[in-house]
Amino acid sequence: MPNARFTPAVLAQLAARLTMRDRQLLRLIQEQRVLTSAQIAEIAFDTDDTARRRLFTLHRMGVLDRFRPNLPPGMGTAPYHYVIGPAGAAVLASEDGVDLSAYGYRRDRVLSIAYSQRRLAHTVGTNGFGAALRGFARRHANAELVTWWAETRCASVWGDTVRPDAYARWRQDEQTIDFFLEYDTGSEPLDRVVRKLDGYAALTQVSRVVTPVLFWVQSERREANLRRKLVQHSAQAFVPVATGTPSALVGPVDDGPAGEKWLPSDAKGPRLRLAGLASHWPSLGPQEAAAPPVTPLLEDGE
């Protein structure tokens, strides 16, 4: 789409049709590269129908682009996956005071994530973890996802030492915890997964900030095997570690990663809530304001 199409008059018309929530979604999708329709509904809408209608409108406007990855036969149809569209890139560039030609948007590059199933699954899975926390916080006034840095931002800060899938600060009630997330899809050998702790141990020693590493594992069997290897690793002397799995269910309500899904590697149970890990490791810190706060997305009708 030629840049000349986005004249000041066109951009003004686009901007007039976008709500504050739309703009926040654009920023979020830009940072996280891709979000599914279900994840966007979890983050920002009260119903799936409302989300679908708005996403359809944003797609028709060219603000968002979308694709459906192919699934194996018999697996049904994948949900729409949304990425930044050319009009969305033009709006963001205008808001940032950057010429679109210098903004770096290329549709083929944005959509390239669709062609690597392994990469797509990992990115969507990691973003789903963050979406679940945002959704929980939207429904519970006592919870807040204060900070969420996606993989690319983490790489720009710590890439020479560690490459977490995300860095976050989570608050519920009076408990706050910062953590690095390692999202495990099951595609890597466990020995390679465990060796990632070496980089986190080195970062802890250099920064003097004790930040736990949380491994989100897709099955309890793999989690058990991972834990056996983690407890034997010397890096645990420097880095607090916990594992969690979506299949763990404690109590009648599934609160997702915010809930009682987590087992510290230095304990056998019971599983703790995400925020409860802060009490299990009272010496975490220092609690520095390492990132700006996450702006909550507006509710329907605001």
Side-chain angles (χ1 to χ4, degrees):
M1 186 174 294
N3 293 351
R5 177 174 179 176
F6 298 109
T7 63
V10 170
L11 285 173
Q13 291 177 351
L14 274 173
R17 297 177 63 186
L18 295 177
T19 67
M20 182 61 70
R21 181 176 57 193
D22 293 337
R23 296 169 187 274
Q24 292 172 335
L25 279 173
L26 285 179
R27 292 287 176 188
L28 190 63
I29 294 172
Q30 178 197 42
E31 180 180 1
Q32 300 192 13
R33 297 192 64 188
V34 58
L35 288 170
T36 69
S37 54
Q39 290 169 353
I40 294 171
E42 173 79 2
I43 290 168
F45 293 88
D46 288 337
T47 68
D48 291 343
D49 284 342
T50 304
R52 279 193 292 268
R53 287 195 298 270
R54 189 57 185 166
L55 289 173
F56 178 78
T57 298
L58 294 175
H59 177 247
R60 288 285 299 271
M61 292 167 61
V63 170
L64 293 178
D65 217 333
R66 69 184 185 182
F67 62 90
R68 270 186 168 144
N70 293 324
L71 295 179
M75 294 293 291
T77 304
Y80 278 118
H81 290 50
Y82 285 86
V83 297
I84 289 294
V91 169
L92 294 178
S94 177
E95 289 182 350
D96 292 344
V98 179
D99 187 83
L100 182 57
S101 61
Y103 198 65
Y105 173 81
R106 281 180 46 184
R107 186 171 185 265
D108 59 339
R109 184 180 299 162
V110 169
L111 288 171
S112 65
I113 194 171
Y115 305 115
S116 172
Q117 292 299 314
R118 179 176 174 180
R119 186 62 181 163
L120 178 63
H122 186 268
T123 301
V124 168
T126 302
N127 292 348
F129 185 103
L133 291 181
R134 291 175 188 270
F136 183 92
R138 210 165 59 88
R139 298 187 299 270
H140 297 82
N142 65 333
E144 180 184 12
L145 182 59
V146 182
T147 301
W148 179 270
W149 285 8
E151 180 181 8
T152 52
R153 189 171 186 180
C154 290
S156 69
V157 177
W158 299 294
D160 292 339
T161 307
V162 296
R163 289 181 173 267
D165 296 319
Y167 164 79
R169 174 173 295 174
W170 175 250
R171 178 180 299 139
Q172 186 172 5
D173 296 320
E174 301 302 319
Q175 298 176 309
T176 301
I177 186 168
D178 293 18
F179 62 90
F180 293 115
L181 176 67
E182 288 288 343
Y183 184 91
D184 179 69
T185 62
S187 61
E188 287 187 305
L190 289 178
D191 287 337
R192 184 184 301 171
V193 174
V194 172
R195 284 198 298 272
K196 295 178 182 181
L197 285 181
D198 295 333
Y200 290 107
L203 179 63
T204 300
Q205 290 178 294
V206 170
S207 67
R208 304 295 182 184
V209 179
V210 179
T211 305
V213 180
L214 307 187
F215 291 89
W216 189 240
V217 189
Q218 298 311 298
S219 73
E220 292 185 67
R221 175 177 292 184
R222 183 171 170 89
E223 180 193 29
N225 291 332
L226 174 61
R227 290 178 62 80
R228 279 194 287 270
K229 291 181 176 293
L230 287 171
V231 297
Q232 300 170 7
H233 200 282
S234 60
Q236 282 201 109
F238 305 96
V239 185
V241 177
T243 62
T245 176
S247 61
L249 180 60
V250 179
V253 179
D254 190 345
D255 287 335
E260 294 170 313
K261 303 282 191 180
W262 300 98
L263 275 175
S265 59
D266 58 355
K268 295 184 178 180
R271 290 186 184 265
L272 304 175
R273 297 189 68 81
L274 177 57
L277 292 171
S279 298
H280 182 79
W281 295 312
S283 60
L284 297 179
Q287 297 294 316
E288 299 175 344
V294 171
T295 303
L297 292 172
L298 298 179
E299 299 290 340
D300 294 338
E302 295 186 3

